[in-house]
Amino acid sequence: MCDNCGCLPVDWKHRCKDKDEQGQGHMHKHVHGNEHGHEHEHKHEHEHEHGNEHEHEHTHEHEIKQKIAIDRPVLEGNDYLAKINRQFFNDHGLFVINLISSPGSGKTTIVEYLARHFKQQMAVIVGDIQTHRDAERARAAGCKSVQIETLGACHLDAHSVGHALETLDLQGVKLLVIENVGNLVCPSTYDLGEHEKIAVLSLPEGDDKVLKYPALFFRASTILLNKIDLAPYVKFDKDKVIDECRSLNRSVNVFEIAASSGLGMENFIVYLSGKFKKD
Amino acid sequence: MHEFSIASGIIDTIEPKIADPSKLNKVRITASPLSGISYDSLSFCFKELCAYKGYYNAFLEINAVAVSMKCAQCDTGYECSVLDTFCPVCGSSDRNVVSESQFSIDFIEIEE
């Protein structure tokens, strides 16, 4: 069992392109073995069903002797590595965005459009469960790219991004796009060191997603409403979506785009260009 | 899906404080709807991981706190335990999120 979502093989290591099969230098801590039983002893008597119920309303007979304060963030380990990544980005004059959305919303098409515009001033780190397809698409569109295959994990974390940076030629790069694993839930929790989280929501996904997945839309500073050219064909209340985004983040920027045709992309490019100094 | 990773991170943080794994009783964390986790799933993953690591008597207590909001239209302060509830006075969704996203390990309890 892997320590991300419990669905990975025992010897899993994430693979960064150009790394060897052993994931050179990767220091994953994995807790493996999904065959463990639950024959453990309890001094007190109560039924453990090992389900989700965990209220512990019963009275424990244990005498509590020590209460030890921890007072540390749950994601401290990731946050520490994200801080190192952010320092690296700042030291190298990179503006970094973390693109997050559900699968199929058009993240890679957006990346391709940006790559055709920014060319070698842009690099991409792409996360997917498997294949190098998106990194290859970005490269074919004209920018530098590296693929992270998570092999099951549902999100990128600061650690995997840090290793991906080791394999990326950043000479001349001003804009780094991290295209996260397609998922509206988990990626929003992890700081990768980016300067902005950007959420992509496409019209065919429906107009009910913002409050269903609030953590992402709370943290995203920019929303890209993609496939806007499909508005005549799908039911999508754009004003409602924007209102709900603003109910979680009043200062959010919204761009209406259709990355496949380029509609609205010039505004987004102007926005990004304002974030870094072009040569 | 990422709750196993989070449970693993919690144990990594508290592990140096624990001399005898079998004596760990309670781990208390604070989380909010902005933490982006399923409480049930996290408790389940934590329990599974503890059983594997020898923390046989440990359980996770989640102090689930609401998110504080302030209506931008009528200035009413209110709490949200789910984020699709709006101002109880004027019904507006126009609001400021007052509280930061809380997601911390508060304390552990060790038994004798």
Side-chain angles (χ1 to χ4, degrees):
Chain A
M1 203 183 285
C2 93
D3 65 358
N4 281 293
C5 56
C7 58
L8 300 179
V10 168
D11 292 317
W12 176 79
K13 290 176 189 295
H14 72 244
R15 286 184 288 164
C16 298
K17 186 170 169 55
D18 302 328
K19 288 281 182 184
D20 62 40
E21 284 298 311
Q22 299 305 310
Q24 177 195 346
H26 293 191
M27 299 292 287
H28 289 276
K29 281 186 179 179
H30 280 272
V31 179
H32 292 303
N34 43 13
E35 299 297 325
H36 59 271
H38 297 282
E39 302 295 326
H40 50 276
E41 287 181 11
H42 279 259
K43 291 175 187 171
H44 52 281
E45 290 184 4
H46 63 98
E47 294 282 325
H48 271 242
E49 295 177 355
H50 291 275
N52 290 342
E53 299 80 9
H54 219 285
E55 284 77 21
H56 278 258
E57 288 170 354
H58 54 271
T59 304
H60 278 258
E61 291 174 6
H62 309 290
E63 195 177 347
I64 305 302
K65 292 293 186 187
Q66 250 189 309
K67 181 173 171 180
I68 302 173
I70 304 293
D71 290 329
R72 284 159 69 177
V74 169
L75 292 164
E76 185 179 47
N78 183 77
D79 293 348
Y80 173 76
L81 294 173
K83 192 175 170 186
I84 292 173
N85 288 349
R86 189 169 286 113
Q87 188 62 52
F88 177 90
F89 298 147
N90 292 337
D91 290 347
H92 288 76
L94 294 166
F95 180 69
V96 184
I97 62 173
N98 180 3
L99 272 186
I100 303 176
S101 78
S102 51
S105 65
K107 288 187 298 302
T108 311
T109 306
I110 292 168
V111 164
E112 286 178 310
Y113 194 95
L114 296 177
R116 285 194 291 273
H117 180 83
F118 290 113
K119 299 184 172 61
Q120 294 290 299
Q121 283 199 316
M122 171 175 151
V124 186
I125 295 173
V126 193
D128 275 303
I129 304 293
Q130 208 166 293
T131 81
H132 287 199
R133 289 176 181 174
D134 286 359
E136 287 162 6
R137 281 174 63 182
R139 203 172 302 128
C143 73
K144 300 167 182 176
S145 68
V146 63
Q147 180 82 43
I148 299 172
E149 285 180 284
T150 68
L151 302 181
C154 49
H155 60 274
L156 296 181
D157 59 16
H159 176 207
S160 59
V161 168
H163 280 306
L165 287 169
E166 296 166 3
T167 68
L168 198 53
D169 172 17
L170 292 169
Q171 185 70 35
V173 173
K174 300 287 184 185
L175 172 65
L176 176 63
V177 179
I178 303 172
E179 183 188 333
N180 220 309
V181 179
N183 182 341
L184 274 180
V185 186
C186 316
S188 69
T189 305
Y190 292 84
D191 182 8
L192 306 180
E194 73 276 0
H195 297 107
E196 279 199 39
K197 280 185 173 60
I198 297 186
V200 183
L201 180 64
S202 66
L203 269 61
E205 294 170 64
D207 57 17
D208 57 350
K209 296 299 177 288
V210 175
L211 292 180
K212 281 185 175 180
Y213 302 93
L216 170 60
F217 294 95
F218 167 67
R219 293 188 174 91
S221 52
T222 295
I223 311 291
L224 302 178
L225 290 181
N226 194 23
K227 308 185 188 180
I228 201 78
D229 50 344
L230 297 181
Y233 312 107
V234 296
K235 184 175 177 295
F236 189 91
D237 185 339
K238 190 175 66 183
D239 293 337
K240 172 188 155 188
V241 166
I242 293 172
D243 280 350
E244 290 187 351
C245 287
R246 297 220 156 107
S247 80
L248 296 167
N249 179 358
R250 290 192 86 211
S251 59
V252 71
N253 306 300
V254 180
F255 293 94
E256 298 175 22
I257 62 168
S260 59
S261 66
L263 184 67
M265 284 297 287
E266 67 277 13
N267 293 332
F268 184 49
I269 284 174
V270 168
Y271 173 78
L272 288 176
S273 300
K275 299 287 185 178
F276 63 90
K277 187 180 172 186
K278 289 173 76 176
D279 291 334
Chain B
M1 284 176 72
H2 58 308
E3 281 78 4
F4 205 93
S5 170
I6 289 179
S8 179
I10 292 170
I11 290 178
D12 284 349
T13 300
I14 63 174
E15 215 154 30
K17 305 276 187 184
I18 303 161
D20 180 352
S22 68
K23 301 292 187 192
L24 178 65
N25 183 253
K26 185 202 288 188
V27 178
R28 217 286 288 268
I29 69 166
T30 292
S32 82
L34 294 173
S35 304
I37 53 157
S38 156
Y39 299 157
D40 284 349
S41 177
L42 182 58
S43 293
F44 174 77
C45 293
F46 184 81
K47 192 191 303 186
E48 291 293 306
L49 196 53
C50 281
Y52 177 70
K53 299 199 78 165
Y55 298 109
Y56 297 133
N57 298 314
F59 68 97
L60 188 68
E61 182 179 272
I62 300 176
N63 173 35
V65 296
V67 178
S68 299
M69 303 284 191
K70 192 161 195 181
C71 179
Q73 295 301 312
C74 72
D75 227 23
T76 300
Y78 60 102
E79 304 276 298
C80 285
S81 55
V82 287
L83 297 173
D84 61 350
T85 52
F86 299 126
C87 178
V89 175
C90 72
S92 173
S93 63
D94 190 8
R95 62 191 178 183
N96 286 299
V97 179
V98 176
S99 54
E100 292 295 314
S101 176
Q102 296 184 68
F103 201 21
S104 59
I105 309 169
D106 303 326
F107 61 83
I108 58 175
E109 287 182 350
I110 309 284
E111 67 190 49
E112 279 283 306

